[in-house]
Amino acid sequence: MVMPLVLAVTGLIFYLTFFLYNQCVVAQDTYILAMRGSLQCGKDAEEIKRQVLTESRQRFGTKYVGASFLEHREEVDKTAVAVEARGAIAQAGWKFGAKGEAQRLCPVKCIREVRLAKKIMQRLENH
């Protein structure tokens, strides 16, 4: 009587571990893809979407333990990049997923604007 209970609890712990691992990895992957897509300067939305889609096929590989399926979609507009993915643990049917979003910006432009603002502030303080 005790042995089946111990085996069932051990199996449950393994499935919970797989679920939590998959949840963490999918959250990490979606955010990384959204962030990388958001930092593309001077590219239109379709070009960024193609790049994110290509990279997502590589990133969402076979590293998800016990997952029966994993599907993802990418959305890119003028101001933001969003990547959403979801899947399920095969035998348990537990679903996991995440959505990563990042605002599109150009790091070079932001740095230049900050430096310009600093210069203006210094000139105002000197006068």
Side-chain angles (χ1 to χ4, degrees):
M1 184 106 151
V2 173
M3 198 61 179
L5 182 63
V6 169
L7 288 174
V9 169
T10 304
L12 179 65
I13 289 172
F14 275 113
Y15 276 112
L16 283 173
T17 304
F18 295 160
F19 174 76
L20 288 175
Y21 169 79
N22 289 339
Q23 184 66 38
C24 290
V25 172
V26 77
Q28 170 189 310
D29 288 345
T30 55
Y31 183 72
I32 286 173
L33 288 168
M35 182 57 97
R36 287 184 181 169
S38 71
L39 296 176
Q40 302 298 317
C41 295
K43 294 183 179 178
D44 65 341
E46 284 301 315
E47 191 175 355
I48 293 173
K49 187 171 183 174
R50 280 193 304 273
Q51 180 181 353
V52 170
L53 182 62
T54 302
E55 193 172 338
S56 67
R57 289 182 185 142
Q58 296 168 354
R59 183 158 290 278
F60 296 129
T62 58
K63 63 182 166 185
Y64 294 92
V65 181
S68 59
F69 74 93
L70 183 72
E71 56 188 32
H72 54 89
R73 66 185 179 101
E74 298 77 15
E75 295 177 15
V76 180
D77 60 18
K78 291 182 179 182
T79 61
V81 176
V83 179
E84 186 175 7
R86 62 186 184 94
I89 301 292
Q91 286 78 13
W94 297 338
K95 296 179 180 175
F96 60 91
K99 183 175 184 178
E101 296 182 54
Q103 289 186 350
R104 286 182 61 185
L105 55 95
C106 184
V108 174
K109 184 179 176 184
C110 290
I111 291 170
R112 288 180 181 160
E113 289 174 355
V114 168
R115 287 182 180 167
L116 180 63
K118 279 185 176 180
K119 285 181 184 178
I120 292 171
M121 290 301 293
Q122 286 174 352
R123 287 185 184 166
L124 289 175
E125 287 175 358
N126 290 337
H127 288 110

